Amino acid sequence: MERQVKITGGNNGGKFLFEVKYAYKEPGLHTKLFAKVPFAMGTQTTSDRLSSSVYKQPMDACEINTYRLLESSFSAPMPKFYFGDISNETSNFILITERIPFVDVGAQRFKRPILNAMEIEGPYDKCKDYQLRSPAKEYYILIMQLSGRIAGCHKAGKFGPDAMLRQNFIWADSSSNFGSASVWGGAQKGGEEQLRSTFDMGYNFISNTAKQLYPDYVQTQEFQNKYMQTMLTLSKYTTAIETWKHADSNYVAMGHQNLNIDNVYFWRDETGGLCAGIFDFGAFGCSCLPHKMWWALNMSDFDNIKDHLDDYIDAFITSYVDSGGAVLDRLVVRKMMILTALQNMVIMINAIPNNFKMCPRQEWATIKDRHDPRIANDIDNKSTLRSCVHVLGVCVRVIEELDGPEVLQEFVEAELQREEQCILQREREEQRDREAAEIARIARQEKQAREAAEAEQIAKERRAWDEAEARQEAEERRRALVAEEEAKLKAREAQEISAEASAQLRARETAEHNKHDRQGEHAVGSGGRPEHRKTGHVPADRTRDETTQKALLGQEARRLKIAKPWGGYTGRKRRMFCLHGTACSEPIFRLQLQKLLPKLEDKVDLTFLDGPREITQGPAFEVMQKFFPGHPNRMWSQTRLDHRGWRAYDDAAETISWLQSQLQALDFNALQGMGQVDGVLGFSAGADHAVMLAAKEYLRGRPFGFLILLSPSAPGYTDQLPKLFSEKIGCPALLARGKREGYGAGLEPIFEATLSAGRFQLDEGGEKVPSNHVAKLFYDCEVLTHDEGHIPVPRNTTQAESITNRIVSFIFENS
């Protein structure tokens, strides 16, 4: 233990020097070490121990973590770290580092006027800039540069991720809550009466008890009023000030909380340049940078601050930017520093009662200046008293000589303006919320009305469907009865024909037999009686009669034969329905299919149906008239969009019944030998109706052999006709679509306008491509794609050739 040199100074812990010997010597190990421990819980230091170990924690933990976690990446020289630990239960801690080899220490203090290069100056004490070997500005410029470099390196990510740093250091930023008390601002508690009492005590100290230490203007009524108004206003806006200081992340970074002259060690290099390292990292962490800048200057002489404040700000900003930080506004930095100085005064006023513990009240009248040992020296190994007296004087001069009240008033006016803007903004937001709520209410009512109307429409369509289905079933029963009666009649006719043929045959046989009998009368046997001639074969005339009977029966059977349902090929030519899109007709659809039709003309009978309804207006009508003028424009059903933005059709059930009637007409023709419909090809709305028709025929047990679906839409009609889609459709389907087709394909203007009006909310149902929902309606559906949009056959020759060839082969594979 080094007992000749006593380490004093600082306010937050005891310090001592010691030497060690190593059992195993390693290069770079120091034998002369420094240690820091908390104050003892003794009579003279109990309040200091409570202050440092309770009120200011995790100050000591942050210091240990600075050495432990940042030593290898730190942006300034620091003593080598050997050991550190802290108890969360007792607050006891110890920190051991290398000893800084100060020259001006102990008995040799400041006796050598000139030092050699690399020799460490000091140590210097707080509030004693007169000890510095060179002008104070040189030292404080370097301190500002070190602070800027540390903050910039943090911003550049050199200290590690913020998530790790937050867990190990004090952290205040825009996410911190400054509502109840300031992190560093010394927010006051209590009402105005209590605050006035506290500030009166502070004013009495600087204007009466220790008036000889402060400027004469302190005793004037004008200053008293300015002081009291400033302190009361500051207390009212402390939370707002702290919030503002931490709102912009560019002004918030890691750094030393009070990089005073006693927390830095200095030396000069071979060229005479001043260099510095840092130690004593209590409360190292992240907070407002101008706040830390003030706390690095507050123990300096006020004249040094006043004369060079702008130089110090520029030195910090330049170093901060060079090391990775953002460019700061020097006026904003200065304003934050002045406000922090006023907050600093509040802290010092609260510390005045402790001054009288360290220097009794009755002795103050005999103290003549700041150099009096009773206040200039360390008391109980602490600089607390000297610091409080000195900083009070600095802050008094900030109020009077650095426009402290004016800076505060400017902030208050800006804050009031911000508050007014916030009130107006809240009122506007509340008004917008009320308007939005009203719009939402109206939208809900309209939605409910639309849903009710849609539900009524669906119910109407279902009733119409059920009625049409009932009529169709009754018609089918009637047809079945008629067919049954016709079959019975034809069976009776066949039986009569067969009986007549049999009777004629028997008559011929009888006549033939009689003829033979007459011829045999001339032959007499040995017994004198006629003898019949026996033969082993049927006469030729009888054989011809049997063949004739069989031919007649076969011809009648063929005449009565009933045709099989469509979908099975019996050697005849294929037949296919062709259903156009909205606002089209057969001539237009033939033009749209001109790349496909030549491949089908000799192989497939094409029946082009025109929609049962005329269309005379709307976007689709206008487009078709533009490209196909003079041709009729038809549609299958009135198109609309349901609540999901999917395609639905008014009167869909009626249209499907009409399509079935067309099938039945062809079915009748098929009985006459013309052939049944093997499949359906449809485009857009025609494809949608082809799906509904195929579903209906499948449930009737008469599935098509194939379906060709060109650019079908999202099937909203499945909700209209749920019975048709209670199971997947058992009909092979080939679906072709364009990659640029969306949910509004074919109805883009109406789709976008309706969506913008909020009449539906698009629900893709997990599929970006609407036709994928159609493919899921079938057991077996093959999908082809091309690079274009909503057209039957792509314009690109190569892609058109590929798709049309596949359509032809698909037809013959499935019919």
Side-chain angles (χ1 to χ4, degrees), residues 391-461:
V391 174
L392 278 172
V394 171
C395 293
V396 162
R397 296 187 68 181
V398 168
I399 292 175
E400 184 65 25
E401 301 176 41
L402 282 182
D403 301 325
E406 289 75 13
V407 172
L408 177 60
Q409 186 59 32
E410 182 183 345
F411 172 83
V412 170
E413 290 175 357
E415 182 64 20
L416 291 174
Q417 187 175 359
R418 282 195 295 270
E419 288 180 2
E420 183 178 352
Q421 291 174 348
C422 288
I423 292 172
L424 292 175
Q425 180 65 21
R426 283 197 298 271
E427 290 176 351
R428 286 194 293 268
E429 290 176 353
E430 290 172 358
Q431 180 63 24
R432 284 199 297 268
D433 290 343
R434 288 192 293 271
E435 292 174 355
E438 179 64 15
I439 292 172
R441 184 188 66 79
I442 294 172
R444 285 195 300 272
Q445 289 180 343
E446 291 178 349
K447 181 180 179 182
Q448 291 170 356
R450 287 197 304 271
E451 290 177 348
E454 189 172 306
E456 177 60 27
Q457 178 66 23
I458 291 174
K460 177 182 177 183
E461 291 176 355

Side-chain angles (χ1 to χ4, degrees), residues 712-731:
S713 308
Y717 48 79
T718 58
D719 289 342
Q720 297 177 268
L721 308 172
K723 290 183 180 180
L724 290 188
F725 300 97
S726 58
E727 62 176 288
K728 290 189 176 184
I729 304 170
C731 168

